């Protein structure tokens, strides 16, 4: 058996179960509590702001569909490389479904708040928490989480380095501006990370985990696996195009700003089809006819999917899964960046969204302080037992971060009310 199909713990095959390893992995993600909780976690607009917008769960479902489409396109355009890389639809769907399960309540605001509270205890970062959930926390096995295939785990690691390595690479002791998390795995999960990389040649392992310093406060890894690159493209397309639809329907953005800030810059890029189609697509996106908006969204998503290509990453890589990535051509990449920047400026930085994020940050920090001050009194029984075990291993705060990061927005708000507001039960 390929080492990339190995699992941390051997589990007996069920009688009559003819599913492939990646079909089993996808099922484990779909049926996990961590995945279900995404239905009540913020994507861009806060949960409860209206009944139309996307949540982390619907975003993940859309990313999964896009990832499937990218895989189909690459298989058609690059049949030989796709065979060499053993490109698998179920694997890509599993990665896209699971990619956000580590994100805490209240979006990136909650992530920053937890990172600040964990600053002396190894930090916090959503992708690192995803790895922790699938390899340790989700109860599909005694202590190996979902016990996914090694290749599935490799595809979920967007930043293959440890937090301590990233922090050492930066002379600024705060690591990142405004307590934005360092993008990497937790040192608490080092042994699992080493198990994951065990099949790689040493030169592949060293290059794959290489860290580049971009400024006094920002260090990042340079490479990701082939499967991960597809997942990340699907995530970016879903965020940039589908999440834009929420902003249009709720009236947060208007056609004039979209044309001046997105359509015109993309027209100037002179991309075949896309540049010429941008103004007609803008009319459809902001049309009163819903089906026209849906047609425009579909056309944009299809345009980006069909542009994806396979590229080599670095000539020194031996393992094909590291030697190749899926990527957009430079002009399409720039076009997608125009969409992403627009959503960030016009939606995420909007005062109403920022107020919700600020409120969530204060709430997360207050809960963390409360649980740290009296864990045996305030934590639920199963988390209390994990805290006691973690205390003996120097990981007590990590257990509290695990507990808070797994909360939905609503549960965290309700718990805050119970602890701090006199009239809440």
């Amino acid at each position: 058996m390929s080492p990339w199909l190995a699992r941390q713990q051997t589990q007996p095959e069920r009688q009559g179960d003819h599913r492939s390893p990646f079909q089993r992995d996808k099922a484990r993600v779909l049926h996990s509590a961590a995945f279900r909780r995404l239905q009540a976690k913020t994507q861009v607009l806060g949960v409860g702001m209206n009944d139309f917008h996307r949540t982390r769960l619907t975003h993940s479902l859309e990313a999964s569909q896009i990832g499937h489409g990218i895989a189909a396109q690459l298989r058609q355009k690059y049949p030989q490389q796709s065979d060499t890389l053993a490109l698998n639809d179920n694997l890509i769907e599993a990665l896209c479904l699971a990619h956000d399960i580590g994100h805490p309540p209240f979006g990136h605001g909650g992530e920053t708040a937890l990172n600040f509270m964990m600053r002396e205890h190894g930090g916090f970062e959503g992708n690192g928490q995803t790895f922790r959930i699938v390899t340790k926390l989700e109860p599909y096995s005694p202590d190996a989480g979902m016990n996914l295939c090694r290749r599935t785990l490799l595809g979920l690691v967007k930043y293959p380095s440890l937090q301590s390595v990233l922090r050492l690479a930066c002379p600024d002791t705060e690591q990142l501006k405004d307590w934005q998390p360092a993008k990497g795995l937790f040192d608490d999960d080092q042994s699992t990370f080493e198990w994951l990389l065990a099949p790689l040649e040493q030169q592949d392992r060293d290059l794959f985990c290489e860290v580049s310093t971009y400024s006094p406060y920002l260090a990042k890894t340079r490479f990701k696996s082939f499967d991960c690159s597809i997942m990340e493209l699907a995530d970016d397309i879903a965020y940039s195009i589908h999440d834009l639809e929420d902003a249009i329907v709720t009236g947060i953005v208007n056609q004039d700003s979209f044309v001046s800030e997105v359509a015109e810059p993309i027209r100037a890029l002179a991309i075949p089809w896309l540049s010429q189609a941008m103004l007609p697509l803008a009319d459809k996106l902001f049309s009163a006819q819903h089906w026209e908006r849906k047609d425009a969204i579909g056309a944009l998503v299809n345009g980006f999917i069909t542009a994806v290509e396979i590229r080599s990453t670095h000539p020194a890589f031996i393992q094909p899964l590291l030697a190749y990535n899926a990527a957009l051509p430079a002009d399409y990449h720039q076009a997608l960046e125009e969409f992403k920047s627009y959503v960030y400026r016009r939606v995420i930085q909007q005062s109403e969204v920022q107020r919700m994020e600020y409120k969530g940050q204060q709430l997360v920090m207050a809960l963390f302080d409360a649980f740290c001050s009296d864990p045996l009194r305030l934590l639920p029984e199963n988390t209390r037992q994990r805290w006691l075990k973690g205390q003996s291993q120097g990981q007590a705060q990590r257990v509290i971060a695990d507990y808070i990061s797994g909360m939905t927005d609503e549960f965290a708000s309700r718990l805050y009310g119970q602890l701090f507001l006199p009239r809440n039960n």
Side-chain angles (χ1 to χ4, degrees):
M1 183 179 73
S2 165
W4 296 106
L5 297 181
R7 303 178 187 273
Q8 287 177 268
Q9 295 180 356
T10 302
Q11 290 181 307
E13 296 288 332
R14 295 190 179 98
Q15 185 177 2
D17 187 351
H18 300 298
R19 293 176 299 170
S20 71
F22 299 132
Q23 285 175 318
R24 296 180 72 185
D25 285 356
K26 178 183 170 184
R28 291 180 185 192
V29 172
L30 272 171
H31 294 287
S32 67
F35 181 72
R36 288 196 300 276
R37 290 190 187 103
L38 295 179
Q39 68 187 303
K41 288 192 177 185
T42 292
Q43 170 59 14
V44 173
L45 302 180
V47 173
M49 288 177 72
N50 58 60
D51 61 358
F52 171 85
H53 68 270
R54 289 162 169 85
T55 63
R56 288 270 180 192
L57 185 134
T58 57
H59 162 76
S60 298
L61 293 171
E62 287 171 338
S64 176
Q65 182 67 24
I66 293 170
H68 184 109
I70 293 172
Q73 283 290 325
L74 294 180
R75 196 177 292 109
Q76 184 180 46
K77 290 162 74 171
Y78 305 92
Q80 186 172 352
Q81 284 176 295
S82 296
D83 287 343
T84 301
L85 294 162
L87 180 57
N88 185 283
D89 292 346
N90 284 296
L91 168 61
I92 299 304
E93 289 178 11
L95 299 179
C96 293
L97 291 171
H99 80 280
D100 265 353
I101 61 174
H103 280 267
F106 307 108
H108 289 290
E111 182 184 37
T112 303
L114 268 181
N115 184 51
F116 176 74
M117 302 308 288
M118 289 291 292
R119 63 193 181 278
E120 303 295 332
H121 310 287
F124 180 89
E125 196 269 332
N127 297 289
Q129 189 68 16
T130 295
F131 185 75
R132 187 167 170 80
I133 288 170
V134 299
T135 61
K136 187 170 293 184
L137 301 180
E138 192 68 27
Y140 275 78
S141 63
D143 55 6
M146 296 184 195
N147 201 26
L148 304 177
C149 290
R150 187 182 258 119
R151 178 165 174 176
T152 306
L153 294 180
L154 184 71
L156 284 172
V157 177
K158 293 173 68 173
Y159 310 105
S161 185
L162 298 174
Q163 292 268 337
S164 59
V165 175
L166 293 161
R167 293 179 186 280
L168 282 173
C170 292
D172 189 325
T173 56
E174 292 184 1
Q175 168 65 26
L176 295 179
K177 268 187 177 178
D178 303 321
W179 296 104
Q180 293 298 313
K183 300 293 188 181
L185 305 179
F186 308 136
D187 286 41
D188 295 333
D189 301 313
Q190 181 175 358
S191 61
T192 309
F193 185 45
E194 290 173 353
W195 174 85
L196 171 62
L197 301 182
L200 296 176
E201 300 284 348
Q202 189 62 49
Q203 74 176 66
D204 272 7
R205 197 179 313 178
D206 292 343
L207 183 58
F208 184 51
C209 298
E210 190 174 286
V211 171
S212 290
T213 303
Y214 294 90
S215 72
Y217 54 83
L218 177 59
K220 288 180 70 175
T221 55
R222 298 175 56 201
F223 301 105
K224 55 182 63 67
S225 72
F226 173 69
D227 304 316
C228 184
S229 69
I230 297 177
M231 175 265 282
E232 196 162 42
L233 277 174
D235 182 24
D236 282 350
I237 294 170
Y239 165 79
S240 303
I241 308 300
H242 284 303
D243 289 354
L244 172 65
E245 184 182 8
D246 285 358
I248 292 171
V249 171
T250 54
I252 293 176
V253 299
N254 59 57
Q255 186 168 353
D256 288 343
S257 71
F258 178 80
V259 168
S260 63
E261 296 177 36
V262 181
E264 290 296 349
I266 291 178
R267 285 186 72 200
L269 293 173
I271 305 171
W273 177 78
L274 182 61
S275 292
Q276 292 135 347
M278 279 310 300
L279 290 182
L281 286 173
D283 289 337
K284 286 188 172 185
L285 283 171
F286 290 88
S287 169
Q289 304 300 323
H290 293 180
W291 65 267
E292 289 197 335
R293 184 176 64 248
K294 287 294 184 186
D295 181 63
I297 293 288
L300 285 167
V301 170
N302 181 71
F304 285 108
I305 287 176
T306 54
V308 176
E309 55 192 25
I310 294 179
R311 287 190 203 152
S312 92
T313 56
H314 196 288
F317 277 125
I318 301 168
Q319 168 57 242
L321 290 175
L322 306 184
Y324 296 97
N325 271 186
L328 286 168
D331 50 3
Y332 270 90
H333 173 77
Q334 181 58 42
L336 192 62
E337 286 297 312
E338 298 292 348
F339 278 97
K340 285 176 66 176
S341 298
Y342 182 72
V343 172
Y344 180 77
R345 287 193 309 272
R346 291 286 181 169
V347 183
I348 292 177
Q349 290 191 315
Q350 192 216 26
S351 60
E352 186 178 5
V353 174
Q354 286 299 307
R355 287 172 193 157
M356 291 291 292
E357 187 172 290
Y358 177 82
K359 179 180 178 181
Q361 286 177 317
Q362 304 308 307
L363 192 152
V364 165
M365 290 189 290
L367 289 177
F368 192 96
D369 275 337
F371 292 133
C372 283
S373 69
D374 204 343
L376 295 178
R377 186 180 178 192
L378 299 177
L379 291 173
E381 177 59 28
N382 61 335
T383 308
R384 190 183 311 153
Q385 295 306 315
R386 286 191 58 238
W387 182 87
L388 287 169
K389 183 179 179 181
Q391 188 182 38
S392 66
Q393 300 170 343
Q395 299 177 1
Q397 287 81 8
R398 179 64 62 195
V399 173
I400 292 174
D402 290 340
Y403 179 51
I404 294 175
S405 70
M407 296 177 183
T408 64
D409 296 19
E410 182 182 354
F411 181 84
S413 298
R414 189 166 64 247
L415 190 56
Y416 178 89
Q418 292 171 352
L419 289 172
F420 298 107
L421 302 182
R423 295 188 180 180
N424 281 64
N425 297 319

